[in-house]
Amino acid sequence: MQRVIATLRIKLKFLQNFILQKNPNPPVTVVSRCNFNNEASFETKPYKLHKLDKGPSTSVTVTREDALKYFRQMYTIRRLETASSNLYKERIIRGFCHLSNGQEACAVGMKAAMREQDTIISAYRVHGWAYLQGVSALGVLSELTGRHTGCSRGKGGSMHLYGKNFYGGNGIVGAQVPLGAGIALAHKYLNDKGVCFSLYGDGAANQGQVFEAYNMAKLLKLPCVFVCENNGYGMGTSSKRSSASVDYYSRGDYIPGVRVDGMDVLAVREASQYAIDHCTSDKGPFVLEVETYRYSGHSMSDPGTSYRTREEIQEVRLSRDPITSFKEKMLISNLASADELKAIEVEVRAEVEEANVRARTESEVSIEELASDIYINPLEPEVRGISPFDSVKHVNVGTPFIPH
C-alpha cells in the first residue's frame, strides 16, 4: 500500500512539473509587504523524552524575519550540495565527499538556537555547517576543489572545513565526540557560558569512545550537547540492522535526552534551545537525537539505492522534505509570498553559481605551502620533511584563528 501511495505521489509531482513547463509563469497574486503576518505559531510532532519530566514545547513561534532567514539558509545549503555533487561527478572534486541534502533543517535549526559563544564540532557531512558558521559559498566550494580561496586554502577538502567556533569535520568515525567533550571542558574552564554541540551519526553511535565521552561529560558536568543525526542508514545498511537499540536519545543512560523530528527546522530549534538551557543550568550534558533523512548515498561512492528503494527516497522528498514543508508553512501562515520566496531562490542560485564558476578556475596553493599553517606560533622555524633526514620551513600564510 505504501509503495502504491508513493507511486501516486510521484506521478502527481510529475504532472505538476509538466503543467509548470507548459505555463512557467502562472498568474500570482501579489501581496503587499504590509499585509504579511509578523509571526506565526505551529505545532510540532511530540518529542520523545528520556529521564525528563517535561520536554521542549510543541508549540513554536517564528517571526517573519527569522522564517525568511531559515528558508534562505536551508535553500543555500541545498544548492551548495547540488553544486558539490556536480563538481564531484565532473571529477573536479576528488577524494571523499559526503552530502547533506535532506538534512538541512538539522543544521539550520541548531544554528538558530546557538549563541555567539557556542561551538560545534561534527563528522564529515559539514559543508552546510561551514556556511552557517560564516564561510562564504566560494570558501566552501573552493575548499572542495582544492583552491587557495577555500576556507582551509584548499588543503583540507570536504572533511576538513573550519570556521569561527566551528571545529570542523573529522574523518575518523566518532572521534569528534570526545573532542566535543574537550571543547565543552574549555567552555567550563573559561567560564564563558558556552555550550558545545558535538555531532555524530547513527553509524558512529556504536563507537566505544562515544560512551566514554558520555561518562566523562557527566562526571565533570560539562556543557555538551551530544547530537545524534539519525538519518536511518550507515554506509550500507539501516540503523535497525546495525544497532541493538535505535533509541539513540536514551543511549546516554544517566544523561537526559530528547528525540526530535529533524525534518522540521522549528522543532529542531526548540529542542536545541531546550538543550542549551539544560547545559547552562549546571545540569551537565544532554543527548539530542534528530531524526532526519539523507537523499544521497553515504558518500559519493555510495549510490544509496542498494539497501533502500528509490520509492522510499521519493516518498520522503514528497512528504517530508524540510525545505518544501517549511515553505508551505510560510505561505499558509502568510509569512511570505510565493514571489518573495522565488526571488530568494533565484538570488541564491546566482550566488552559488558564481562561486561554482570561481571554484573551478581559482589557482591551487603552491608546493611551498606544504608545511604551512601547522602551528599558530611555531617554536621551531622548520618541521620534519618526508624523511627524518630533511626538513622544510614552516610558514604562516593563513590568518591565525583563535576561537575564543
Side-chain angles (χ1 to χ4, degrees):
M1 178 61 72
Q2 291 181 345
R3 181 167 293 187
V4 172
I5 294 174
T7 303
L8 290 174
R9 284 180 172 168
I10 294 170
K11 289 181 178 179
L12 177 60
K13 190 69 174 179
F14 286 155
L15 179 60
Q16 291 172 339
N17 291 337
F18 177 77
I19 294 172
L20 286 174
Q21 289 174 1
K22 292 294 184 180
N23 186 15
N25 298 306
V28 177
T29 302
V30 179
V31 181
S32 172
R33 187 174 293 271
C34 62
N35 290 331
F36 290 127
N37 291 328
N38 290 326
E39 65 177 31
S41 297
F42 305 95
E43 286 294 317
T44 70
K45 291 181 180 179
Y47 304 95
K48 290 191 175 182
L49 310 179
H50 172 67
K51 287 193 175 297
L52 292 168
D53 296 326
K54 184 180 180 182
S57 174
T58 56
S59 178
V60 294
T61 300
V62 63
T63 64
R64 166 178 155 79
E65 180 182 1
D66 283 345
L68 290 171
K69 180 174 71 174
Y70 302 159
F71 177 77
R72 177 183 289 272
Q73 288 174 333
M74 288 194 292
Y75 192 75
T76 300
I77 294 173
R78 179 70 59 87
R79 295 307 305 174
L80 282 172
E81 297 297 53
T82 300
S84 301
S85 176
N86 293 334
L87 287 167
Y88 191 93
K89 291 172 182 176
E90 295 175 41
R91 297 188 178 184
I92 298 174
I93 293 176
R94 309 302 291 265
F96 294 101
C97 186
H98 301 78
L99 306 180
S100 65
N101 38 353
Q103 300 185 199
E104 296 85 357
C106 300
V108 174
M110 277 181 264
K111 176 61 179 177
M114 289 172 66
R115 304 155 303 160
E116 184 67 26
Q117 68 268 39
D118 294 329
T119 52
I120 177 256
I121 186 170
S122 186
Y124 30 70
R125 214 177 297 279
V126 292
H127 307 158
W129 266 113
Y131 162 73
L132 292 176
Q133 291 298 106
V135 177
S136 66
L138 175 63
V140 173
L141 295 181
S142 286
E143 187 59 39
L144 300 183
T145 57
R147 314 295 173 165
H148 79 279
T149 45
C151 60
S152 299
R153 291 185 63 77
K155 296 179 287 185
S158 178
M159 285 189 176
H160 303 286
L161 294 99
Y162 300 91
K164 183 180 179 182
N165 285 1
F166 171 42
Y167 288 82
N170 293 266
I172 301 175
V173 177
Q176 72 279 7
V177 182
L179 292 177
I183 298 169
L185 177 61
H187 281 305
K188 186 167 186 175
Y189 181 81
L190 296 170
N191 195 29
D192 61 7
K193 308 302 180 183
V195 171
C196 179
F197 283 76
S198 184
L199 279 59
Y200 56 99
D202 53 280
N206 297 320
Q207 290 284 318
Q209 56 195 328
V210 173
F211 298 93
E212 293 173 23
Y214 285 168
N215 182 61
M216 293 182 68
K218 183 63 176 179
L219 281 172
L220 300 175
K221 297 180 72 174
L222 301 180
C224 188
V225 182
F226 296 106
V227 183
C228 178
E229 292 184 293
N230 178 11
N231 59 30
Y233 296 93
M235 172 62 188
T237 189
S238 70
S239 58
K240 294 179 180 179
R241 295 185 63 189
S242 62
S243 298
S245 170
V246 293
D247 292 331
Y248 298 104
Y249 67 103
S250 66
R251 287 281 198 94
D253 188 12
Y254 35 76
I255 300 176
V258 166
R259 175 185 287 169
V260 60
D261 179 11
M263 306 299 269
D264 183 344
V265 64
L266 299 181
V268 175
R269 184 196 67 178
E270 194 72 16
S272 299
Q273 184 60 62
Y274 184 92
I276 290 175
D277 293 341
H278 176 92
C279 291
T280 54
S281 300
D282 199 32
K283 296 179 181 177
F286 194 87
V287 176
L288 180 63
E289 178 188 348
V290 286
E291 277 192 303
T292 183
Y293 196 88
R294 57 169 168 79
Y295 297 149
S296 303
H298 173 75
S299 67
M300 291 299 293
S301 62
D302 169 27
T305 53
S306 59
Y307 47 84
R308 58 180 180 175
T309 64
R310 296 182 186 276
E311 289 80 8
E312 177 186 307
I313 301 171
Q314 287 299 325
E315 166 66 14
V316 176
R317 280 184 178 273
L318 293 172
S319 62
R320 298 174 55 209
D321 184 81
I323 300 176
T324 302
S325 59
F326 188 62
K327 182 178 181 179
E328 290 174 355
K329 286 180 179 179
M330 292 177 68
L331 294 175
I332 293 172
S333 59
N334 197 30
L335 288 172
S337 69
D339 278 354
E340 189 173 18
L341 297 181
K342 183 65 177 179
I344 291 175
E345 293 176 356
V346 171
E347 185 178 332
V348 168
R349 284 174 180 265
E351 176 190 349
V352 174
E353 180 54 31
E354 180 183 356
N356 183 25
V357 172
R358 288 189 59 186
R360 297 166 180 264
T361 57
E362 295 284 354
S363 62
E364 299 178 358
V365 296
S366 63
I367 194 66
E368 286 74 25
E369 286 196 33
L370 180 64
S372 66
D373 296 326
I374 300 174
Y375 307 102
I376 292 179
N377 296 307
L379 298 178
E380 299 291 338
E382 295 185 338
V383 296
R384 174 178 166 171
I386 59 175
S387 76
F389 309 106
D390 61 358
S391 61
V392 290
K393 184 178 180 181
H394 178 267
V395 291
N396 279 328
V397 295
T399 302
F401 166 63
I402 303 175
H404 296 286

